[in-house]
Amino acid sequence: MAGSKKIPRPSGRVSRPKAIAAVVVLLVVAVPTLNGFFGSFERTSGGEVAVVRNGGMFDNNKIRQIIDPGSGLTWIGWWSNTHKYPAQQRFYTITSDSGRGDRAGVDVVTVPSSDGVNMGIEGTLYFSLNLDHATLRRFDDKFGTRKFTGADGKARYAYDGDAGWSGFLDQIVRPVIENDLRTQVNTFRCAELVSSCALVQNNSGGKQQQTSLKVQSNNANIAKVQQAINTSLEQDLEQTLGFPFLTNLHFNLARITLPAAVQQAVDSAQAAFAKVTESQAQVAQAQAEAAANRARQEGYNKCPTCADIEKLKALPKGITVYAPGNDRVAIPTR
């Protein structure tokens, strides 16, 4: 029809800005959704237990569930957070061996004995985390929601691997161990725990004690210290932590050392003691030899013939003529 206008047909194409906007919206929605879905499953190995907390955008942060050690794949909800803690026996070592302790370098607890000698204590605390579900919830509420500074100066949560767990032990458990060691060691004198300490200690008159080293060791007293620590440590940790979060505690007291200056004095005293003993032995030997010579001479006086016989025995080999008292005897030469 003449004069009629053509109506444009829709092309079916979406404008580029709209397409880009749709892709962005899809990515914003789809990616978090997929991450939330695939991250909503968790499992634990045989040596760990997991405390699961809600973490969705519109959810609270309360504890949702506990996953026991060695679990299969478990649904934990959308965007939940998992705090994994050690489930097997663990230990905390205090030692002068720079490669074995929980702190870098030489790590020794120094505590005074009852007579004021600083003594270096080395040992290991063995323990386990209480795996009761109600107890784990309380533990995570109290210690899983704050960070602890480790030996390297970095702050981590207690569930952030071995470094985070060591930071928790270093800040919370270590002070209790040191306090118990100080309390128990302070009930003994230095010489009751380290025998050689008696060599360099002074008596009330200011003179060095004249004492010999005892053959018996101080293991009995060290065992008493260890037993007392094991008795008090569990109670003190429960009181400090506020609940029996740690169980099966056992402290093994491995070694007690003296300060370098004291040990050097002990070494010097032991060397001097050895010299005195050697001199005494030489005197005793000389006295014994003199007594033997006197007894031998008395025997010769009573039996002159016996003396001649002994002289004959003492002659060098090859002598065929012996004429005591006659200086004119000639011995033919070959």
PDB file of all heavy atoms in Angstrom, residues 161-193:
ATOM      1  N   GLY A 161      47.035 -25.405  62.005  1.00  0.00           N
ATOM      2  CA  GLY A 161      48.148 -26.331  61.847  1.00  0.00           C
ATOM      3  C   GLY A 161      49.005 -26.463  63.098  1.00  0.00           C
ATOM      4  O   GLY A 161      48.645 -26.012  64.188  1.00  0.00           O
ATOM      5  N   ASP A 162      50.173 -27.073  62.923  1.00  0.00           N
ATOM      6  CA  ASP A 162      51.080 -27.298  64.050  1.00  0.00           C
ATOM      7  C   ASP A 162      51.592 -25.993  64.639  1.00  0.00           C
ATOM      8  O   ASP A 162      51.788 -25.884  65.855  1.00  0.00           O
ATOM      9  CB  ASP A 162      52.266 -28.163  63.608  1.00  0.00           C
ATOM     10  CG  ASP A 162      51.873 -29.609  63.353  1.00  0.00           C
ATOM     11  OD1 ASP A 162      50.833 -30.037  63.896  1.00  0.00           O
ATOM     12  OD2 ASP A 162      52.590 -30.305  62.617  1.00  0.00           O
ATOM     13  N   ALA A 163      51.819 -24.990  63.781  1.00  0.00           N
ATOM     14  CA  ALA A 163      52.319 -23.705  64.273  1.00  0.00           C
ATOM     15  C   ALA A 163      51.288 -23.022  65.168  1.00  0.00           C
ATOM     16  O   ALA A 163      51.630 -22.465  66.217  1.00  0.00           O
ATOM     17  CB  ALA A 163      52.681 -22.803  63.098  1.00  0.00           C
ATOM     18  N   GLY A 164      50.006 -23.082  64.776  1.00  0.00           N
ATOM     19  CA  GLY A 164      48.958 -22.486  65.601  1.00  0.00           C
ATOM     20  C   GLY A 164      48.775 -23.224  66.912  1.00  0.00           C
ATOM     21  O   GLY A 164      48.604 -22.607  67.978  1.00  0.00           O
ATOM     22  N   TRP A 165      48.845 -24.548  66.858  1.00  0.00           N
ATOM     23  CA  TRP A 165      48.689 -25.357  68.072  1.00  0.00           C
ATOM     24  C   TRP A 165      49.856 -25.120  69.029  1.00  0.00           C
ATOM     25  O   TRP A 165      49.672 -25.015  70.229  1.00  0.00           O
ATOM     26  CB  TRP A 165      48.583 -26.827  67.689  1.00  0.00           C
ATOM     27  CG  TRP A 165      48.326 -27.747  68.837  1.00  0.00           C
ATOM     28  CD1 TRP A 165      49.185 -28.650  69.360  1.00  0.00           C
ATOM     29  CD2 TRP A 165      47.130 -27.851  69.610  1.00  0.00           C
ATOM     30  NE1 TRP A 165      48.596 -29.319  70.409  1.00  0.00           N
ATOM     31  CE2 TRP A 165      47.327 -28.850  70.583  1.00  0.00           C
ATOM     32  CE3 TRP A 165      45.896 -27.194  69.561  1.00  0.00           C
ATOM     33  CZ2 TRP A 165      46.356 -29.208  71.508  1.00  0.00           C
ATOM     34  CZ3 TRP A 165      44.917 -27.547  70.479  1.00  0.00           C
ATOM     35  CH2 TRP A 165      45.151 -28.543  71.442  1.00  0.00           C
ATOM     36  N   SER A 166      51.072 -25.014  68.483  1.00  0.00           N
ATOM     37  CA  SER A 166      52.242 -24.742  69.316  1.00  0.00           C
ATOM     38  C   SER A 166      52.148 -23.365  69.958  1.00  0.00           C
ATOM     39  O   SER A 166      52.569 -23.171  71.102  1.00  0.00           O
ATOM     40  CB  SER A 166      53.524 -24.846  68.480  1.00  0.00           C
ATOM     41  OG  SER A 166      53.735 -26.175  68.043  1.00  0.00           O
ATOM     42  N   GLY A 167      51.593 -22.395  69.226  1.00  0.00           N
ATOM     43  CA  GLY A 167      51.404 -21.064  69.799  1.00  0.00           C
ATOM     44  C   GLY A 167      50.449 -21.083  70.973  1.00  0.00           C
ATOM     45  O   GLY A 167      50.674 -20.411  71.990  1.00  0.00           O
ATOM     46  N   PHE A 168      49.373 -21.869  70.861  1.00  0.00           N
ATOM     47  CA  PHE A 168      48.432 -22.022  71.963  1.00  0.00           C
ATOM     48  C   PHE A 168      49.114 -22.637  73.178  1.00  0.00           C
ATOM     49  O   PHE A 168      48.976 -22.152  74.310  1.00  0.00           O
ATOM     50  CB  PHE A 168      47.242 -22.881  71.512  1.00  0.00           C
ATOM     51  CG  PHE A 168      46.481 -23.527  72.631  1.00  0.00           C
ATOM     52  CD1 PHE A 168      45.656 -22.779  73.457  1.00  0.00           C
ATOM     53  CD2 PHE A 168      46.591 -24.897  72.862  1.00  0.00           C
ATOM     54  CE1 PHE A 168      44.962 -23.376  74.504  1.00  0.00           C
ATOM     55  CE2 PHE A 168      45.899 -25.496  73.892  1.00  0.00           C
ATOM     56  CZ  PHE A 168      45.080 -24.734  74.713  1.00  0.00           C
ATOM     57  N   LEU A 169      49.877 -23.706  72.956  1.00  0.00           N
ATOM     58  CA  LEU A 169      50.575 -24.370  74.064  1.00  0.00           C
ATOM     59  C   LEU A 169      51.603 -23.435  74.696  1.00  0.00           C
ATOM     60  O   LEU A 169      51.757 -23.403  75.921  1.00  0.00           O
ATOM     61  CB  LEU A 169      51.265 -25.641  73.563  1.00  0.00           C
ATOM     62  CG  LEU A 169      50.364 -26.765  73.041  1.00  0.00           C
ATOM     63  CD1 LEU A 169      51.211 -27.913  72.505  1.00  0.00           C
ATOM     64  CD2 LEU A 169      49.422 -27.265  74.126  1.00  0.00           C
ATOM     65  N   ASP A 170      52.296 -22.682  73.859  1.00  0.00           N
ATOM     66  CA  ASP A 170      53.351 -21.806  74.351  1.00  0.00           C
ATOM     67  C   ASP A 170      52.809 -20.693  75.239  1.00  0.00           C
ATOM     68  O   ASP A 170      53.422 -20.328  76.240  1.00  0.00           O
ATOM     69  CB  ASP A 170      54.106 -21.216  73.160  1.00  0.00           C
ATOM     70  CG  ASP A 170      55.553 -20.925  73.490  1.00  0.00           C
ATOM     71  OD1 ASP A 170      56.155 -21.713  74.235  1.00  0.00           O
ATOM     72  OD2 ASP A 170      56.072 -19.912  73.003  1.00  0.00           O
ATOM     73  N   GLN A 171      51.642 -20.164  74.888  1.00  0.00           N
ATOM     74  CA  GLN A 171      51.093 -19.050  75.645  1.00  0.00           C
ATOM     75  C   GLN A 171      50.204 -19.475  76.807  1.00  0.00           C
ATOM     76  O   GLN A 171      50.154 -18.794  77.836  1.00  0.00           O
ATOM     77  CB  GLN A 171      50.275 -18.139  74.707  1.00  0.00           C
ATOM     78  CG  GLN A 171      51.119 -17.165  73.907  1.00  0.00           C
ATOM     79  CD  GLN A 171      50.275 -16.036  73.346  1.00  0.00           C
ATOM     80  OE1 GLN A 171      49.928 -16.050  72.170  1.00  0.00           O
ATOM     81  NE2 GLN A 171      49.932 -15.072  74.171  1.00  0.00           N
ATOM     82  N   ILE A 172      49.534 -20.593  76.690  1.00  0.00           N
ATOM     83  CA  ILE A 172      48.558 -20.993  77.699  1.00  0.00           C
ATOM     84  C   ILE A 172      49.082 -22.097  78.611  1.00  0.00           C
ATOM     85  O   ILE A 172      48.942 -22.034  79.839  1.00  0.00           O
ATOM     86  CB  ILE A 172      47.240 -21.449  77.028  1.00  0.00           C
ATOM     87  CG1 ILE A 172      46.678 -20.338  76.139  1.00  0.00           C
ATOM     88  CG2 ILE A 172      46.225 -21.849  78.084  1.00  0.00           C
ATOM     89  CD1 ILE A 172      46.351 -19.051  76.881  1.00  0.00           C
ATOM     90  N   VAL A 173      49.707 -23.118  78.050  1.00  0.00           N
ATOM     91  CA  VAL A 173      50.116 -24.284  78.831  1.00  0.00           C
ATOM     92  C   VAL A 173      51.515 -24.114  79.421  1.00  0.00           C
ATOM     93  O   VAL A 173      51.767 -24.513  80.566  1.00  0.00           O
ATOM     94  CB  VAL A 173      50.048 -25.561  77.957  1.00  0.00           C
ATOM     95  CG1 VAL A 173      50.530 -26.775  78.731  1.00  0.00           C
ATOM     96  CG2 VAL A 173      48.619 -25.775  77.463  1.00  0.00           C
ATOM     97  N   ARG A 174      52.435 -23.527  78.678  1.00  0.00           N
ATOM     98  CA  ARG A 174      53.822 -23.393  79.134  1.00  0.00           C
ATOM     99  C   ARG A 174      53.950 -22.688  80.487  1.00  0.00           C
ATOM    100  O   ARG A 174      54.699 -23.167  81.360  1.00  0.00           O
ATOM    101  CB  ARG A 174      54.633 -22.658  78.062  1.00  0.00           C
ATOM    102  CG  ARG A 174      56.076 -22.298  78.449  1.00  0.00           C
ATOM    103  CD  ARG A 174      56.928 -23.547  78.624  1.00  0.00           C
ATOM    104  NE  ARG A 174      58.324 -23.190  78.875  1.00  0.00           N
ATOM    105  CZ  ARG A 174      59.270 -23.194  77.946  1.00  0.00           C
ATOM    106  NH1 ARG A 174      58.971 -23.541  76.706  1.00  0.00           N
ATOM    107  NH2 ARG A 174      60.505 -22.886  78.252  1.00  0.00           N
ATOM    108  N   PRO A 175      53.262 -21.575  80.737  1.00  0.00           N
ATOM    109  CA  PRO A 175      53.391 -20.927  82.053  1.00  0.00           C
ATOM    110  C   PRO A 175      52.989 -21.819  83.213  1.00  0.00           C
ATOM    111  O   PRO A 175      53.570 -21.735  84.302  1.00  0.00           O
ATOM    112  CB  PRO A 175      52.461 -19.711  81.939  1.00  0.00           C
ATOM    113  CG  PRO A 175      52.389 -19.416  80.482  1.00  0.00           C
ATOM    114  CD  PRO A 175      52.426 -20.760  79.821  1.00  0.00           C
ATOM    115  N   VAL A 176      52.012 -22.691  83.007  1.00  0.00           N
ATOM    116  CA  VAL A 176      51.582 -23.602  84.069  1.00  0.00           C
ATOM    117  C   VAL A 176      52.681 -24.626  84.339  1.00  0.00           C
ATOM    118  O   VAL A 176      52.975 -24.969  85.497  1.00  0.00           O
ATOM    119  CB  VAL A 176      50.262 -24.307  83.686  1.00  0.00           C
ATOM    120  CG1 VAL A 176      49.799 -25.233  84.804  1.00  0.00           C
ATOM    121  CG2 VAL A 176      49.182 -23.275  83.384  1.00  0.00           C
ATOM    122  N   ILE A 177      53.319 -25.139  83.283  1.00  0.00           N
ATOM    123  CA  ILE A 177      54.418 -26.094  83.448  1.00  0.00           C
ATOM    124  C   ILE A 177      55.558 -25.448  84.230  1.00  0.00           C
ATOM    125  O   ILE A 177      56.099 -26.038  85.178  1.00  0.00           O
ATOM    126  CB  ILE A 177      54.928 -26.577  82.073  1.00  0.00           C
ATOM    127  CG1 ILE A 177      53.818 -27.300  81.303  1.00  0.00           C
ATOM    128  CG2 ILE A 177      56.131 -27.491  82.240  1.00  0.00           C
ATOM    129  CD1 ILE A 177      54.217 -27.706  79.895  1.00  0.00           C
ATOM    130  N   GLU A 178      55.926 -24.229  83.855  1.00  0.00           N
ATOM    131  CA  GLU A 178      57.025 -23.543  84.530  1.00  0.00           C
ATOM    132  C   GLU A 178      56.710 -23.308  86.002  1.00  0.00           C
ATOM    133  O   GLU A 178      57.580 -23.476  86.869  1.00  0.00           O
ATOM    134  CB  GLU A 178      57.318 -22.213  83.830  1.00  0.00           C
ATOM    135  CG  GLU A 178      57.917 -22.367  82.450  1.00  0.00           C
ATOM    136  CD  GLU A 178      58.365 -21.040  81.870  1.00  0.00           C
ATOM    137  OE1 GLU A 178      58.222 -20.010  82.572  1.00  0.00           O
ATOM    138  OE2 GLU A 178      58.850 -21.026  80.724  1.00  0.00           O
ATOM    139  N   ASN A 179      55.484 -22.927  86.301  1.00  0.00           N
ATOM    140  CA  ASN A 179      55.112 -22.676  87.690  1.00  0.00           C
ATOM    141  C   ASN A 179      55.190 -23.952  88.521  1.00  0.00           C
ATOM    142  O   ASN A 179      55.681 -23.938  89.665  1.00  0.00           O
ATOM    143  CB  ASN A 179      53.695 -22.094  87.754  1.00  0.00           C
ATOM    144  CG  ASN A 179      53.278 -21.763  89.168  1.00  0.00           C
ATOM    145  OD1 ASN A 179      53.802 -20.855  89.805  1.00  0.00           O
ATOM    146  ND2 ASN A 179      52.304 -22.509  89.675  1.00  0.00           N
ATOM    147  N   ASP A 180      54.728 -25.077  87.960  1.00  0.00           N
ATOM    148  CA  ASP A 180      54.783 -26.345  88.694  1.00  0.00           C
ATOM    149  C   ASP A 180      56.223 -26.810  88.892  1.00  0.00           C
ATOM    150  O   ASP A 180      56.579 -27.321  89.962  1.00  0.00           O
ATOM    151  CB  ASP A 180      53.985 -27.418  87.939  1.00  0.00           C
ATOM    152  CG  ASP A 180      52.507 -27.358  88.268  1.00  0.00           C
ATOM    153  OD1 ASP A 180      51.983 -26.243  88.361  1.00  0.00           O
ATOM    154  OD2 ASP A 180      51.884 -28.421  88.444  1.00  0.00           O
ATOM    155  N   LEU A 181      57.071 -26.625  87.887  1.00  0.00           N
ATOM    156  CA  LEU A 181      58.470 -26.996  88.031  1.00  0.00           C
ATOM    157  C   LEU A 181      59.137 -26.154  89.112  1.00  0.00           C
ATOM    158  O   LEU A 181      59.902 -26.669  89.938  1.00  0.00           O
ATOM    159  CB  LEU A 181      59.194 -26.797  86.696  1.00  0.00           C
ATOM    160  CG  LEU A 181      58.893 -27.817  85.594  1.00  0.00           C
ATOM    161  CD1 LEU A 181      59.541 -27.397  84.286  1.00  0.00           C
ATOM    162  CD2 LEU A 181      59.382 -29.203  85.992  1.00  0.00           C
ATOM    163  N   ARG A 182      58.849 -24.872  89.109  1.00  0.00           N
ATOM    164  CA  ARG A 182      59.439 -23.974  90.115  1.00  0.00           C
ATOM    165  C   ARG A 182      58.998 -24.387  91.523  1.00  0.00           C
ATOM    166  O   ARG A 182      59.806 -24.413  92.466  1.00  0.00           O
ATOM    167  CB  ARG A 182      59.025 -22.533  89.819  1.00  0.00           C
ATOM    168  CG  ARG A 182      59.651 -21.502  90.764  1.00  0.00           C
ATOM    169  CD  ARG A 182      59.256 -20.091  90.373  1.00  0.00           C
ATOM    170  NE  ARG A 182      59.760 -19.743  89.049  1.00  0.00           N
ATOM    171  CZ  ARG A 182      59.030 -19.710  87.943  1.00  0.00           C
ATOM    172  NH1 ARG A 182      57.733 -19.998  88.003  1.00  0.00           N
ATOM    173  NH2 ARG A 182      59.566 -19.389  86.791  1.00  0.00           N
ATOM    174  N   THR A 183      57.731 -24.718  91.668  1.00  0.00           N
ATOM    175  CA  THR A 183      57.211 -25.089  92.982  1.00  0.00           C
ATOM    176  C   THR A 183      57.841 -26.373  93.503  1.00  0.00           C
ATOM    177  O   THR A 183      58.220 -26.458  94.682  1.00  0.00           O
ATOM    178  CB  THR A 183      55.683 -25.254  92.909  1.00  0.00           C
ATOM    179  OG1 THR A 183      55.096 -24.017  92.479  1.00  0.00           O
ATOM    180  CG2 THR A 183      55.108 -25.630  94.260  1.00  0.00           C
ATOM    181  N   GLN A 184      57.960 -27.374  92.651  1.00  0.00           N
ATOM    182  CA  GLN A 184      58.452 -28.680  93.096  1.00  0.00           C
ATOM    183  C   GLN A 184      59.964 -28.708  93.276  1.00  0.00           C
ATOM    184  O   GLN A 184      60.471 -29.268  94.244  1.00  0.00           O
ATOM    185  CB  GLN A 184      58.017 -29.767  92.094  1.00  0.00           C
ATOM    186  CG  GLN A 184      56.515 -29.888  91.926  1.00  0.00           C
ATOM    187  CD  GLN A 184      55.789 -30.121  93.236  1.00  0.00           C
ATOM    188  OE1 GLN A 184      56.325 -30.737  94.154  1.00  0.00           O
ATOM    189  NE2 GLN A 184      54.560 -29.620  93.329  1.00  0.00           N
ATOM    190  N   VAL A 185      60.702 -28.103  92.355  1.00  0.00           N
ATOM    191  CA  VAL A 185      62.169 -28.100  92.465  1.00  0.00           C
ATOM    192  C   VAL A 185      62.607 -27.301  93.681  1.00  0.00           C
ATOM    193  O   VAL A 185      63.617 -27.619  94.320  1.00  0.00           O
ATOM    194  CB  VAL A 185      62.795 -27.542  91.170  1.00  0.00           C
ATOM    195  CG1 VAL A 185      64.299 -27.318  91.341  1.00  0.00           C
ATOM    196  CG2 VAL A 185      62.541 -28.496  90.009  1.00  0.00           C
ATOM    197  N   ASN A 186      61.842 -26.275  94.040  1.00  0.00           N
ATOM    198  CA  ASN A 186      62.204 -25.419  95.171  1.00  0.00           C
ATOM    199  C   ASN A 186      62.105 -26.142  96.509  1.00  0.00           C
ATOM    200  O   ASN A 186      62.525 -25.610  97.535  1.00  0.00           O
ATOM    201  CB  ASN A 186      61.314 -24.171  95.188  1.00  0.00           C
ATOM    202  CG  ASN A 186      61.815 -23.104  96.118  1.00  0.00           C
ATOM    203  OD1 ASN A 186      61.222 -22.824  97.160  1.00  0.00           O
ATOM    204  ND2 ASN A 186      62.938 -22.510  95.766  1.00  0.00           N
ATOM    205  N   THR A 187      61.578 -27.351  96.536  1.00  0.00           N
ATOM    206  CA  THR A 187      61.493 -28.116  97.784  1.00  0.00           C
ATOM    207  C   THR A 187      62.748 -28.970  98.016  1.00  0.00           C
ATOM    208  O   THR A 187      62.846 -29.639  99.036  1.00  0.00           O
ATOM    209  CB  THR A 187      60.257 -29.038  97.777  1.00  0.00           C
ATOM    210  OG1 THR A 187      60.366 -29.971  96.694  1.00  0.00           O
ATOM    211  CG2 THR A 187      58.977 -28.225  97.608  1.00  0.00           C
ATOM    212  N   PHE A 188      63.688 -28.972  97.073  1.00  0.00           N
ATOM    213  CA  PHE A 188      64.909 -29.767  97.194  1.00  0.00           C
ATOM    214  C   PHE A 188      66.141 -28.871  97.126  1.00  0.00           C
ATOM    215  O   PHE A 188      66.135 -27.838  96.460  1.00  0.00           O
ATOM    216  CB  PHE A 188      64.994 -30.805  96.055  1.00  0.00           C
ATOM    217  CG  PHE A 188      64.000 -31.909  96.159  1.00  0.00           C
ATOM    218  CD1 PHE A 188      62.750 -31.793  95.566  1.00  0.00           C
ATOM    219  CD2 PHE A 188      64.305 -33.073  96.845  1.00  0.00           C
ATOM    220  CE1 PHE A 188      61.815 -32.812  95.653  1.00  0.00           C
ATOM    221  CE2 PHE A 188      63.379 -34.098  96.932  1.00  0.00           C
ATOM    222  CZ  PHE A 188      62.132 -33.970  96.348  1.00  0.00           C
ATOM    223  N   ARG A 189      67.192 -29.299  97.837  1.00  0.00           N
ATOM    224  CA  ARG A 189      68.477 -28.645  97.709  1.00  0.00           C
ATOM    225  C   ARG A 189      69.160 -29.117  96.431  1.00  0.00           C
ATOM    226  O   ARG A 189      68.853 -30.188  95.909  1.00  0.00           O
ATOM    227  CB  ARG A 189      69.358 -28.946  98.920  1.00  0.00           C
ATOM    228  CG  ARG A 189      68.865 -28.320 100.220  1.00  0.00           C
ATOM    229  CD  ARG A 189      69.799 -28.604 101.386  1.00  0.00           C
ATOM    230  NE  ARG A 189      69.815 -30.022 101.731  1.00  0.00           N
ATOM    231  CZ  ARG A 189      70.822 -30.828 101.472  1.00  0.00           C
ATOM    232  NH1 ARG A 189      71.903 -30.370 100.838  1.00  0.00           N
ATOM    233  NH2 ARG A 189      70.773 -32.097 101.823  1.00  0.00           N
ATOM    234  N   CYS A 190      70.084 -28.307  95.944  1.00  0.00           N
ATOM    235  CA  CYS A 190      70.770 -28.620  94.691  1.00  0.00           C
ATOM    236  C   CYS A 190      71.418 -30.002  94.735  1.00  0.00           C
ATOM    237  O   CYS A 190      71.286 -30.798  93.811  1.00  0.00           O
ATOM    238  CB  CYS A 190      71.808 -27.542  94.388  1.00  0.00           C
ATOM    239  SG  CYS A 190      72.783 -27.856  92.894  1.00  0.00           S
ATOM    240  N   ALA A 191      72.115 -30.303  95.840  1.00  0.00           N
ATOM    241  CA  ALA A 191      72.826 -31.573  95.941  1.00  0.00           C
ATOM    242  C   ALA A 191      71.893 -32.772  95.998  1.00  0.00           C
ATOM    243  O   ALA A 191      72.318 -33.901  95.729  1.00  0.00           O
ATOM    244  CB  ALA A 191      73.725 -31.559  97.178  1.00  0.00           C
ATOM    245  N   GLU A 192      70.630 -32.549  96.349  1.00  0.00           N
ATOM    246  CA  GLU A 192      69.672 -33.655  96.399  1.00  0.00           C
ATOM    247  C   GLU A 192      69.202 -34.051  95.003  1.00  0.00           C
ATOM    248  O   GLU A 192      68.672 -35.143  94.801  1.00  0.00           O
ATOM    249  CB  GLU A 192      68.477 -33.267  97.259  1.00  0.00           C
ATOM    250  CG  GLU A 192      68.812 -33.120  98.735  1.00  0.00           C
ATOM    251  CD  GLU A 192      67.623 -32.676  99.558  1.00  0.00           C
ATOM    252  OE1 GLU A 192      66.859 -31.791  99.086  1.00  0.00           O
ATOM    253  OE2 GLU A 192      67.437 -33.204 100.666  1.00  0.00           O
ATOM    254  N   LEU A 193      69.410 -33.170  94.033  1.00  0.00           N
ATOM    255  CA  LEU A 193      69.016 -33.462  92.658  1.00  0.00           C
ATOM    256  C   LEU A 193      70.219 -33.697  91.759  1.00  0.00           C
ATOM    257  O   LEU A 193      70.142 -34.461  90.801  1.00  0.00           O
ATOM    258  CB  LEU A 193      68.164 -32.312  92.102  1.00  0.00           C
ATOM    259  CG  LEU A 193      66.843 -32.055  92.836  1.00  0.00           C
ATOM    260  CD1 LEU A 193      66.141 -30.831  92.267  1.00  0.00           C
ATOM    261  CD2 LEU A 193      65.928 -33.273  92.753  1.00  0.00           C
TER     262      LEU A 193
END
